[in-house]
Amino acid sequence: MLSIEWTASQGWLGPRITPYQNFSLDPATCVFHYAFECFEGMKAYKNSKGQVRLFRPDKNMARFNKSSARIALPNFSGTALIDLISKFSAMEERFIPAARGYSLYLRPTMIGTQRTLGVGPPGSALLFVIASPVGPYYPTGFKAVSLEATDYAVRAWPGGVGNMKLGANYAPCVVPQLQAAKRGFHQNLWLFGEKEFVTEVGTMNFFAAIRDKETKKKVLMTAPLDGTILEGVIRDSVLDLARERLVPEGWEVEERKFTMSELASAEEEGRLIEAFGTGTAAVVSPVRNIHWKGRLVNCGLREDQEVGEITKRMKDWIEGIQHGDEEHPWSLKV
Ligand SMILES: *Cc1c(COP(=O)(O)O)cnc(C)c1O
């Protein structure tokens, strides 16, 4: 593990890479009481030539600093942390499997470590990075997921903090997730507001491909960054790749609000082409259907089909860049 301590009086102290080990913290440490915690999720990839790479780490660093600043924790130079994470990944190189879909998951985390029950800016903090090898999310090939639209709980709201990776955002999402699982669904779909705007699926951003009612054009759409969704690195990458590679094929790409009833009408009229979630863990996760208001909205897959064409192409493009099979400025050689 990599760890770096910070105090308000001394600033950041020397970074250390040590064996994985326990922390010893006073029970009054502020992280335990007021959730002074934020984190990132990223991966180191290896290709067949043994090269180790990070994928758009600058995006993770920018988001990490945005999260920490929101909870009065210090910032750390993004480029310096990329450097340290590169050294750390290179050191742990033997734990990075080279096969497609495999990687070393990296979890940068920052906590407030001041001993106090007073609510205030922490006078000390700890930044640490732990890692674990991970395999493909779908080891036996894609498995399309069934979602339950959650209409009784809200994950995030404009002006809130749901657009940041704060630990405090995640514990409250587990019960709605369990509720969905109890009724036989893999994940829940978070809606927002009385109009039931579609925001995110579990801890993934959500994309839908539809045929526009008026223009008849194919549209790939996802919710805009209005504070109600997490600003995913894969979301951003899918949007960029779609604009670069799908728009020339006649697709339109839209970051806009859309409602569950809009998706349901698209399905009824045969205009819902496919839907998928995006995130660092799975890259893309195909969606089979969404349970909403007592009905099942089918997201364009045949019964014998686990993934749609656009979902599959996106996964191949992004994995190709992540592993360095396609040379791309998003991939940073360690
Ligand atoms: C991390 C996360 C995502 C995905 O972000 P990526 O940067 O693409 O991995 C989406 N939604 C939530 C709620 C998240 O925490």
Side-chain angles (χ1 to χ4, degrees):
M1 62 195 283
L2 164 68
S3 34
I4 320 163
E5 287 180 60
W6 175 87
T7 70
S9 56
Q10 294 170 282
W12 290 104
L13 308 180
R16 295 180 305 146
I17 295 174
T18 65
Y20 193 90
Q21 59 193 271
N22 290 349
F23 296 133
S24 174
L25 292 169
D26 188 289
T29 303
C30 65
V31 61
F32 298 139
H33 301 273
Y34 309 123
F36 285 99
E37 195 266 3
C38 61
F39 65 96
E40 270 306 318
M42 55 198 288
K43 288 172 169 178
Y45 308 85
K46 197 194 270 179
N47 67 7
S48 49
K49 293 185 210 119
Q51 282 170 341
V52 175
R53 290 157 185 272
L54 301 174
F55 180 72
R56 308 189 77 185
D58 52 316
K59 291 288 236 185
N60 296 97
M61 298 299 108
R63 193 169 64 189
F64 196 37
N65 278 328
K66 190 169 155 179
S67 298
S68 71
R70 183 63 184 82
I71 52 173
L73 289 177
N75 270 6
F76 191 91
S77 155
T79 49
L81 191 53
I82 291 173
D83 241 37
L84 289 167
I85 289 174
S86 299
K87 287 207 172 77
F88 178 51
S89 308
M91 237 179 112
E92 304 298 339
E93 183 262 334
R94 68 193 186 284
F95 290 114
I96 315 177
R100 247 310 164 96
Y102 291 77
S103 57
L104 184 70
Y105 184 77
L106 294 157
R107 170 51 63 90
T109 311
M110 202 191 301
I111 57 172
T113 53
Q114 190 174 348
R115 288 184 293 148
T116 176
L117 295 186
V119 180
S124 61
L126 176 67
L127 192 173
F128 59 93
V129 184
I130 52 175
S132 169
V134 288
Y137 207 77
Y138 299 102
T140 56
F142 279 114
K143 277 269 166 279
V145 295
S146 291
L147 310 180
E148 178 181 73
T150 301
D151 54 9
Y152 59 91
V154 182
R155 195 194 80 87
W157 45 91
V161 292
N163 57 339
M164 285 170 245
K165 270 184 138 61
L166 308 186
N169 284 333
Y170 295 83
C173 294
V174 172
V175 167
Q177 163 61 39
L178 284 175
Q179 292 292 319
K182 204 170 76 187
R183 290 185 277 266
F185 300 95
H186 300 99
Q187 285 284 341
N188 69 314
L189 181 72
W190 294 104
L191 307 179
F192 178 79
E194 276 168 20
K195 291 194 176 145
E196 300 191 306
F197 289 113
V198 174
T199 62
E200 291 201 65
V201 36
T203 55
M204 287 185 285
N205 294 117
F206 181 83
F207 281 81
I210 61 163
R211 198 172 278 282
D212 188 87
K213 199 176 175 127
E214 268 88 56
T215 67
K216 310 282 183 237
K217 277 199 155 190
K218 288 189 279 187
V219 180
L220 183 65
M221 61 185 188
T222 193
L225 303 178
D226 66 350
T228 62
I229 62 162
L230 202 282
E231 304 178 2
V233 178
I234 303 296
R235 171 189 179 278
D236 189 76
S237 306
V238 166
L239 285 171
D240 272 15
L241 289 172
R243 289 187 177 117
E244 179 193 300
R245 303 178 187 187
L246 296 180
V247 167
E249 296 177 9
W251 282 81
E252 307 218 308
V253 177
E254 291 178 0
E255 286 174 76
R256 69 162 171 97
K257 293 189 172 192
F258 57 94
T259 61
M260 204 46 231
S261 89
E262 190 181 339
L263 280 189
S265 319
E267 182 230 22
E268 275 167 20
E269 295 160 11
R271 296 183 292 106
L272 182 50
I273 304 168
E274 61 194 270
F276 57 94
T278 67
T280 297
V283 187
V284 296
S285 181
V287 174
R288 178 170 305 284
N289 52 36
I290 304 168
H291 187 260
W292 173 68
K293 290 199 194 312
R295 55 177 283 199
L296 263 190
V297 176
N298 280 306
C299 298
L301 294 177
R302 293 185 316 264
E303 234 167 85
D304 64 344
Q305 198 186 8
E306 295 295 335
V307 62
E309 188 200 323
I310 295 305
T311 312
K312 176 75 170 68
R313 287 171 78 194
M314 277 296 168
K315 180 195 162 82
D316 288 343
W317 286 337
I318 292 177
E319 278 191 353
I321 296 170
Q322 287 173 332
H323 285 269
D325 298 329
E326 178 190 337
E327 277 301 335
H328 196 285
W330 285 343
S331 178
L332 180 79
K333 242 185 264 174
V334 160

